[in-house]
Amino acid sequence: MAVDELQAIIERCQILEEADFRGEDYDLFQVAGQKCLEDGYAAQLLEVIQNVKNKVIIKNMGWNLISPLVRCILAYKKEDEKREHCLKILDQLVQLCNPKELFLGLLEQIEQTSGEQVCQTIMLLLQPLQTVLLKLQNKKAYSVGLSLAIIMNQLTPLPVPYTKQQIQEDKLGLCQCCNAVVDFAKPFVNEVVKNMENSSEFNDTELKEELLKFCMKSLKYPLLTAQLDQLEGIEEHPFRVCQMFLHHKSRRSYWENQEFEDIEQKNSADSLACLSYLVFVQHFGINCFPMDLVKVMTLCPIEHLRKKSLSILQLFIDKFEAEGKYTLFRCLLKTSNHAGVEGYIIKNIKDQIHLSLMKAHDNIWFTGHHLISLLDLVLLLPEGAETDLLQNSDRIMASLNLLRYLVIKDCESDNQTGVWTALAKIEKNFLKPLHVGLNMSKAHYEAEIKNKKENGREAHSSNTICSLTVSGEKMPAMTTEMQLQVLHSALFTFDLIESVLARVEELIEVKVKAVMDENI
């Protein structure tokens, strides 16, 4: 009887030390265990595995049962009690077996499956595989990448459901499998995100790049051939879930590993074509797309990526019609919280106004009352006269240049932009507070310069004058000369703002006086 044979092997191994287990013992255990499963003695095998006395034996030999166990689970009907016993055995093996050996056993089983059992096998083993991967201490990134690659290789030959009916029927289980793969990868994605958020010096890029490599492959299969317009009436569309996973992961676009760089170049045409379709046709991730670009522009430490994101943002802006640009500008002005970005958006607003005034476009969104509503967000100081003018200098200069352009190009008699109607409000909310803020800021910095010069002799003797901390990192100490350079640079910025402000007020005065002279 199979159970008796297994029990005899167990009793013989119980008296051996772990190091004394021989190849013959592994083979006999596997054969006896397999026979128990095939003869319907899963319940008895479960008892053997759950026996605490056999813990060391199962740790070393249990993974050999994966193959016959999977065959039995797939063969039994769902309501069969023997199937439930087999599932409990699988759960016990995941808890007790050596993670490295069990990992190889699970992957081998996924790799060897074929035909209609591909998706069934993958869905059965994804949860155990995930648990084992989370236990691994060494080569986790490589193991996750290998797992995703084998899963993708098995799924790729399967036809992607084309019609709504095919998606709902899901004969081969591909749709369910896509959902399961997303859940499988989530803890590894979350691990990368958490590590990046918690440490500015996070350098473990291997797991991140393995996930991104899978992300590129996902763009090609199944998303490239999936009919994503067949969404209505289908809850939790499997390929929409696939997109959400893709969006969560694809946060960077370059590789630190040359092998991954080569793979991306090989597959990039199809993958990027699919990504363009998802963003600009399916509008996937469109709501947070500009915000993500802004984050790269302002927070990324890599210069060429900051420049690239700026170029992409402009391409993104250019794809909208006038109303879309108007809405996007309002959104970015309210949410970017960065003077440089706001200055760039204000420059774009000026360009759109120019097109409207030149009659190149019949554009109601950048003239009249729509424009005045937008200018209310542009021509003001966020905190009135107490606004940090140095920090907001990019925005302020862009705003002044826009106002100067409006005053020069739009005659008071035409008032196409509405700026002359809103002049009193602009003076109250922007020009007068800016005057006060400049006087306060210049006085403060001039006093600081005088103080530094007077204390320069003492400061010189102590060498180190001041320390600066940025993002938790202590920067090199600043000497008195360095501090004075910074202070003089700030004064130069204030002088520049004051010069443009004076020119704007001069232009306003000339235009107003000319109209008054005509009316006399």
Side-chain angles (χ1 to χ4, degrees):
M1 184 178 176
V3 176
D4 294 334
E5 292 177 13
L6 178 63
Q7 194 60 48
I9 296 165
I10 291 291
E11 289 174 0
R12 187 163 68 84
C13 290
Q14 280 179 342
I15 62 175
L16 297 175
E17 294 294 331
E18 185 175 355
D20 295 331
F21 291 158
R22 297 173 298 174
E24 179 185 354
D25 298 323
Y26 287 83
D27 294 338
L28 291 172
F29 176 85
Q30 181 181 6
V31 171
Q34 179 175 331
K35 194 171 181 182
C36 284
L37 290 168
E38 292 173 348
D39 291 351
Y41 297 111
Q44 289 82 348
L45 178 59
L46 177 60
E47 289 180 7
V48 170
I49 292 174
Q50 289 176 328
N51 190 331
V52 68
K53 295 180 180 179
N54 303 327
K55 186 175 181 179
V56 175
I57 299 172
I58 303 304
K59 174 189 172 184
N60 288 274
M61 304 182 188
W63 68 275
N64 287 303
L65 298 177
I66 291 295
S67 180
L69 192 59
V70 169
R71 286 199 301 271
C72 290
I73 292 173
L74 295 179
Y76 289 131
K77 293 182 179 180
K78 287 190 176 180
E79 61 274 12
D80 196 319
E81 187 180 16
K82 293 175 182 177
R83 185 178 189 273
E84 191 62 31
H85 290 143
C86 289
L87 289 172
K88 289 181 179 179
I89 291 173
L90 179 59
D91 181 63
Q92 286 292 308
L93 295 181
V94 171
Q95 302 303 320
L96 298 174
C97 289
N98 182 296
K100 182 179 177 181
E101 293 173 342
L102 187 59
F103 165 71
L104 295 174
L106 292 169
L107 271 195
E108 183 180 21
Q109 193 60 37
I110 293 174
E111 193 171 24
Q112 290 179 353
T113 190
S114 60
E116 295 183 358
Q117 290 192 334
V118 167
C119 288
Q120 295 178 48
T121 303
I122 290 174
M123 285 188 289
L124 173 65
L125 298 182
L126 276 179
Q127 183 62 53
L129 182 59
Q130 183 192 73
T131 303
V132 171
L133 285 169
L134 291 172
K135 288 182 177 182
L136 291 178
Q137 299 298 322
N138 300 320
K139 296 187 176 180
K140 179 191 284 188
Y142 170 79
S143 301
V144 170
L146 181 61
S147 301
L148 290 170
I150 289 176
I151 291 168
M152 181 61 76
N153 288 340
Q154 289 293 79
L155 293 179
T156 301
L158 301 179
V160 177
Y162 188 81
T163 65
K164 180 178 178 180
Q165 182 180 354
Q166 289 174 346
I167 293 171
Q168 291 175 327
E169 290 178 354
D170 194 21
K171 286 185 177 180
L172 295 178
L174 178 62
C175 298
Q176 295 179 62
C177 208
C178 285
N179 288 330
V181 170
V182 171
D183 290 335
F184 167 78
K186 278 181 181 177
F188 308 111
V189 176
N190 293 336
E191 180 180 336
V192 170
V193 173
K194 183 179 179 180
N195 287 335
M196 292 177 67
E197 289 175 348
N198 291 343
S199 174
S200 60
E201 298 180 354
F202 175 63
N203 294 317
D204 185 8
T205 61
E206 291 184 13
L207 180 57
K208 182 164 52 174
E209 293 188 336
E210 291 287 359
L211 291 168
L212 283 168
K213 182 165 64 170
F214 177 71
C215 188
M216 291 294 293
K217 290 182 179 179
S218 299
L219 280 167
K220 192 170 182 179
Y221 178 93
L223 293 175
L224 185 62
T225 54
Q227 293 299 306
L228 296 174
D229 55 347
Q230 303 283 340
L231 292 177
E232 293 185 10
I234 304 178
E235 295 184 5
E236 289 297 318
H237 186 285
F239 303 127
R240 176 67 75 187
V241 174
C242 229
Q243 293 175 59
M244 296 308 295
F245 171 59
L246 173 69
H247 172 68
H248 189 51
K249 293 194 301 180
S250 54
R251 298 292 183 176
R252 53 194 289 269
S253 58
Y254 72 99
W255 306 101
E256 296 185 12
N257 185 306
Q258 185 59 43
E259 178 188 354
F260 295 157
E261 182 77 37
D262 296 339
I263 291 171
E264 182 188 36
Q265 289 176 0
K266 182 179 178 181
N267 296 283
S268 62
D270 290 338
S271 297
L272 293 177
C274 182
L275 181 60
S276 297
Y277 173 81
L278 292 175
V279 173
F280 296 114
V281 179
Q282 289 291 324
H283 300 151
F284 165 67
I286 204 75
N287 293 333
C288 51
F289 184 65
M291 290 297 100
D292 287 343
L293 283 175
V294 167
K295 288 178 181 177
V296 176
M297 288 164 52
T298 57
L299 301 176
C300 181
I302 302 168
E303 183 180 4
H304 78 271
L305 290 181
R306 294 198 303 272
K307 291 180 178 179
K308 186 68 174 179
S309 65
L310 180 61
S311 300
I312 294 173
L313 178 61
Q314 188 60 58
L315 289 172
F316 183 73
I317 291 171
D318 293 342
K319 288 191 174 293
F320 286 92
E321 295 181 350
E323 183 179 358
K325 287 185 174 76
Y326 179 88
T327 303
L328 179 61
F329 293 158
R330 289 186 68 92
C331 175
L332 289 174
L333 285 172
K334 289 180 178 180
T335 60
S336 67
N337 297 316
H338 190 280
V341 175
E342 292 166 357
Y344 186 78
I345 297 304
I346 293 169
K347 179 183 178 298
N348 267 271
I349 293 172
K350 175 176 170 289
D351 293 340
Q352 293 303 309
I353 296 171
H354 178 73
L355 290 174
S356 300
L357 294 180
M358 294 296 103
K359 307 296 183 182
H361 295 77
D362 184 16
N363 189 346
I364 64 170
W365 293 96
F366 291 94
T367 56
H369 71 276
H370 286 300
L371 177 60
I372 292 303
S373 176
L374 189 59
L375 291 180
D376 287 342
L377 298 175
V378 173
L379 301 176
L380 87 165
L381 295 180
E383 298 175 23
E386 296 180 358
T387 299
D388 187 333
L389 302 186
L390 195 60
Q391 184 175 339
N392 288 275
S393 60
D394 289 341
R395 175 196 169 105
I396 293 169
M397 286 297 296
S399 299
L400 286 171
N401 283 326
L402 172 58
L403 182 56
R404 178 173 59 179
Y405 172 83
L406 293 173
V407 172
I408 292 173
K409 291 294 184 180
D410 191 15
C411 296
E412 188 173 357
S413 56
D414 296 333
N415 197 24
Q416 289 178 266
T417 63
V419 68
W420 295 101
T421 305
L423 188 59
K425 182 166 60 173
I426 293 170
E427 289 180 340
K428 176 183 177 183
N429 295 336
F430 184 55
L431 299 180
K432 288 182 179 178
L434 184 55
H435 263 297
V436 176
L438 282 169
N439 291 334
M440 291 169 57
S441 297
K442 290 178 69 175
H444 172 74
Y445 277 80
E446 286 169 354
E448 281 293 311
I449 289 173
K450 182 179 179 181
N451 183 55
K452 295 297 178 187
K453 288 181 177 179
E454 288 177 352
N455 297 330
R457 195 170 301 169
E458 296 177 16
H460 181 72
S461 63
S462 63
N463 292 324
T464 301
I465 305 302
C466 129
S467 63
L468 182 65
T469 302
V470 178
S471 299
E473 295 185 10
K474 192 171 182 180
M475 305 302 289
M478 295 178 67
T479 63
T480 301
E481 290 75 13
M482 294 167 67
Q483 292 180 66
L484 286 171
Q485 287 179 2
V486 171
L487 293 171
H488 280 295
S489 177
L491 279 180
F492 176 79
T493 300
F494 299 145
D495 288 340
L496 189 60
I497 294 174
E498 193 170 43
S499 173
V500 179
L501 174 60
R503 178 57 178 159
V504 170
E505 291 181 325
E506 180 185 349
L507 289 169
I508 293 173
E509 184 179 353
V510 169
K511 286 284 186 90
V512 171
K513 186 175 184 300
V515 172
M516 292 177 62
D517 290 344
E518 289 178 4
N519 294 333
I520 294 176

